[in-house]
Amino acid sequence: MKLVFSLITRLSLRFRAVILLLALLISAAGIVATSQLKVELIPPVAFPQTIILAQAGGMTGEQVLTIVTERIETALRQIPEVVNIESTTTSGFGAVITARNNFGDNQARVVADVQAALDTVWLPSRRIAPSDGETPEAFSARLLAEMTPDVLIYLAERDPNFLFQLTPQVWSALPVETVEALAAYLAAETRDASGSALRALVEQEIIPALENIPQVANVSIGGGQALPGDEDTPPIISGEAASLLLDLTPAVWTVIQAKLPDIDALTPATAETLRAIPVTIPTTPPALPASWQMDRFTDATDLREMQTLTRSLSAVFNQFMTSGQIVGALRQTDDLTVADVEQMLALDPTILNYFTGDQLVALPADVFAALPADYIAGLDGFTRDGLAARALAATLTGEAAPPAPIDLPQAWRIAPPQVITFSFDDLPLA
């Protein structure tokens, strides 16, 4: 080895120019190779697992296990690619189930199989879905093209971020008259333009964008308050109240301009022009368009009830645009059907114990008639008095007026399971 190094040293000293030229060529080749090398800092690796989130509160842990967890696990075991299933069940939240598969499997196909398996698990729910022969994309486009402005304005009055979180695709699918009314509504609504510019940016742009991500359950902010000694410092931005129309994203405004060609660029003057268009803000839940009224969806409240802890109201519409379905839990007593009662009793007869007297009195007549005779016989005196008063009123009037609906017990409001996946592709890179 010593002789080799000695030979290399002698050759380097004898042929200095050649060695220097070789060194320069190697350095240049390295620079060129480095500049053309394709490097992926985060490769598109998808974790071989699918998480199913099933919210079911108001029940005991054993009931959640019987009604939700075990039945979902049974359906997942029918998928050949699923090699391991882990679950956590709690009485306060529901179940979190992790279905794992092997690396190398087509993850998109596995997720589709998981969703198909979940669709076979019956839970009390209602849905807007296409009929046989109609594609989800055509169905959602048809229904959104018939959406009236009063429904969306009613929802926006109860969720200030709703309209701002709708995707440009949803805006594009809405009819011209609806888009014009929504633009006029936003033009007339104002926000306080004084305060911290940073906090305004966070509240009006960053928070709505984060809440619109399906995997984000909740967003909270902190800070923004004045530091000691800065209480008298004037706000970074100040001025009169600004129109909410100015908070729309450029992508959404491009869609609005395409539908309303007479509208100019998004400026305060444009907002002032749109403000002159009369808009009626509904105070009671408006009826849904006829094409939307299916499976216990009748008015705007039914759409609002599709919002959950992990799904915003805008996400309901954004997902409907691509999936063609809106699926959600039951909410009030008039949502309950005889089939729901029979199915739930087959799963766990003790689920009836969560009904209060007021809820029993508010049940539809056919649903109440489907309750077991021994359960009705064991009702307390106050509940019997309420049922007797309803029967007497029906006798005196000659017709059985439907009772005013009230909220169902929490145990009967089981949210449809949600599929959650994660890969490095989900990470936003600047």
Side-chain angles (χ1 to χ4, degrees):
M1 183 64 68
K2 186 176 181 180
L3 293 176
V4 174
F5 282 111
S6 178
L7 179 61
I8 292 175
T9 301
R10 287 199 301 271
L11 291 175
S12 300
L13 294 175
R14 178 176 300 180
F15 304 102
R16 299 178 198 175
V18 175
I19 297 301
L20 181 60
L21 181 61
L22 288 175
L24 292 175
L25 289 175
I26 293 173
S27 300
I31 294 173
V32 172
T34 302
S35 63
Q36 295 182 353
L37 184 64
K38 295 182 179 180
V39 180
E40 289 204 32
L41 300 179
I42 301 182
V45 176
F47 291 97
Q49 67 180 27
T50 306
I51 299 175
I52 297 94
L53 182 65
Q55 300 177 52
M59 292 185 277
T60 65
E62 291 77 10
Q63 288 174 322
V64 177
L65 187 66
T66 300
I67 297 175
V68 180
T69 309
E70 291 179 345
R71 298 173 62 231
I72 292 179
E73 289 180 346
T74 300
L76 294 176
R77 291 191 185 97
Q78 307 305 313
I79 303 175
E81 290 82 3
V82 174
V83 296
N84 178 260
I85 299 175
E86 296 180 5
S87 63
T88 302
T89 303
T90 62
S91 59
F93 181 78
V96 179
I97 304 170
T98 303
R100 292 187 172 87
N101 53 282
N102 293 318
F103 272 106
D105 291 338
N106 187 327
Q107 195 62 29
R109 183 166 57 84
V110 172
V111 172
D113 292 342
V114 168
Q115 186 60 63
L118 294 177
D119 291 340
T120 65
V121 179
W122 179 90
L123 288 172
S125 62
R126 46 191 166 144
R127 69 179 60 221
I128 294 176
S131 57
D132 296 338
E134 188 173 17
T135 63
E137 295 80 7
F139 176 72
S140 60
R142 177 170 63 85
L143 263 63
L144 288 172
E146 299 175 4
M147 175 55 68
T148 55
D150 57 344
V151 173
L152 298 181
I153 292 175
Y154 178 85
L155 298 176
E157 283 287 293
R158 284 141 188 84
D159 184 353
N161 291 325
F162 168 59
L163 294 177
F164 299 99
Q165 294 173 345
L166 294 178
T167 62
Q169 291 76 16
V170 174
W171 279 90
S172 181
L174 296 174
V176 173
E177 56 273 13
T178 297
V179 171
E180 183 181 53
L182 293 180
Y185 164 76
L186 291 175
E189 296 294 310
T190 59
R191 58 173 170 80
D192 187 4
S194 63
S196 168
L198 176 61
R199 192 172 185 91
L201 173 66
V202 171
E203 292 179 346
Q204 297 161 17
E205 297 190 29
I206 297 179
I207 295 299
L210 292 177
E211 290 180 339
N212 203 33
I213 301 175
Q215 290 82 3
V216 174
N218 184 39
V219 180
S220 59
I221 60 175
Q225 67 274 13
L227 297 176
D230 294 341
E231 292 83 355
D232 298 331
T233 302
I236 299 177
I237 58 175
S238 61
E240 299 178 354
S243 171
L244 289 180
L245 186 73
L246 303 178
D247 293 334
L248 289 175
T249 63
V252 170
W253 186 249
T254 300
V255 173
I256 294 177
Q257 279 188 301
K259 288 183 172 291
L260 308 176
D262 295 335
I263 299 300
D264 297 326
L266 184 56
T267 62
T270 302
E272 199 63 34
T273 301
L274 289 171
R275 195 195 306 265
I277 300 176
V279 176
T280 302
I281 299 178
T283 56
T284 58
L288 293 174
S291 59
W292 287 72
Q293 296 192 21
M294 60 181 72
D295 194 19
R296 293 159 287 179
F297 282 86
T298 57
D299 58 38
T301 302
D302 295 314
L303 288 179
R304 189 185 176 207
E305 291 170 353
M306 297 298 101
Q307 182 177 0
T308 66
L309 292 175
T310 57
R311 182 175 65 172
S312 65
L313 188 56
S314 56
V316 173
F317 280 80
N318 295 339
Q319 294 169 11
F320 174 64
M321 185 70 198
T322 56
S323 68
Q325 292 194 53
I326 297 178
V327 185
L330 308 182
R331 180 59 185 268
Q332 294 195 311
T333 51
D334 59 343
D335 295 329
L336 205 58
T337 65
V338 174
D340 293 329
V341 173
E342 293 174 347
Q343 293 267 31
M344 289 293 282
L345 290 180
L347 296 174
D348 187 349
T350 63
I351 200 74
L352 289 175
N353 296 332
Y354 292 102
F355 279 116
T356 65
D358 291 339
Q359 291 164 341
L360 289 172
V361 172
L363 288 176
D366 59 338
V367 174
F368 184 83
L371 301 179
D374 56 344
Y375 170 76
I376 296 176
L379 295 176
D380 59 77
F382 291 105
T383 304
R384 289 177 174 275
D385 291 342
L387 295 171
R390 189 175 75 172
L392 179 60
T395 302
L396 294 176
T397 59
E399 58 181 16
I406 62 175
D407 286 346
L408 284 168
Q410 184 63 40
W412 287 76
R413 301 185 304 200
I414 305 174
Q418 290 184 269
V419 175
I420 301 175
T421 60
F422 174 77
S423 72
F424 284 123
D425 286 343
D426 298 327
L427 296 177
L429 299 179

